[in-house]
Amino acid sequence: MTARYGPSQSRRMLRCRTCMARFSERKGTPLFDARLPPGKVRRVLARVAEGIGTRKTARLTGVHTDTVTRCTRSAGDHAQALHDELVPFSPEDRVGPVRREVSPCRPETEELRPR
């Protein structure tokens, strides 16, 4: 049985079967330790992803500018950690740009013609 916590007992506290450690179901996500409802966090991050600035996002979503910054930083840290975890295992790009040796069109002994 999992324990529950948070407002109206809506979040689950899980237990690892191997090491018996307890952790929140939100651990490792941008929603971890967020006081806002998940829907509002998603709206904030959607506005930021569209390229809307911090102040305008705060006005549109009804949160403080520091809250927008905190949500953005949390999502950015999560994305960076996920990127660092997945990139070492990504396959080599065999269709990438072709590197070739570039040589001058004329032999070096030939001089340029004056105009």
Side-chain angles (χ1 to χ4, degrees), residues 30-68:
L31 294 175
F32 183 69
D33 204 24
R35 268 82 171 166
L36 292 177
K40 192 167 264 196
V41 173
R42 287 186 195 103
R43 284 192 297 274
V44 167
L45 293 176
R47 299 281 192 281
V48 171
E50 291 173 8
I52 298 175
T54 302
R55 290 183 191 155
K56 190 169 184 180
T57 298
R59 280 194 306 272
L60 291 172
T61 56
V63 298
H64 194 270
T65 55
D66 291 343
T67 304
V68 174

Side-chain angles (χ1 to χ4, degrees), residues 5-85:
Y5 74 102
S8 69
Q9 303 295 310
S10 60
R11 298 180 193 135
R12 294 182 304 166
M13 185 66 88
L14 306 173
R15 182 184 304 269
C16 175
R17 290 182 181 179
T18 306
C19 66
M20 303 304 283
R22 295 178 63 194
F23 57 93
S24 169
E25 68 180 340
R26 290 181 164 191
K27 184 175 181 176
T29 70
L31 294 175
F32 183 69
D33 204 24
R35 268 82 171 166
L36 292 177
K40 192 167 264 196
V41 173
R42 287 186 195 103
R43 284 192 297 274
V44 167
L45 293 176
R47 299 281 192 281
V48 171
E50 291 173 8
I52 298 175
T54 302
R55 290 183 191 155
K56 190 169 184 180
T57 298
R59 280 194 306 272
L60 291 172
T61 56
V63 298
H64 194 270
T65 55
D66 291 343
T67 304
V68 174
T69 303
R70 187 173 54 249
C71 289
T72 304
R73 183 170 291 138
S74 173
D77 292 343
H78 175 68
Q80 179 69 43
L82 186 63
H83 175 270
D84 292 344
E85 183 177 327

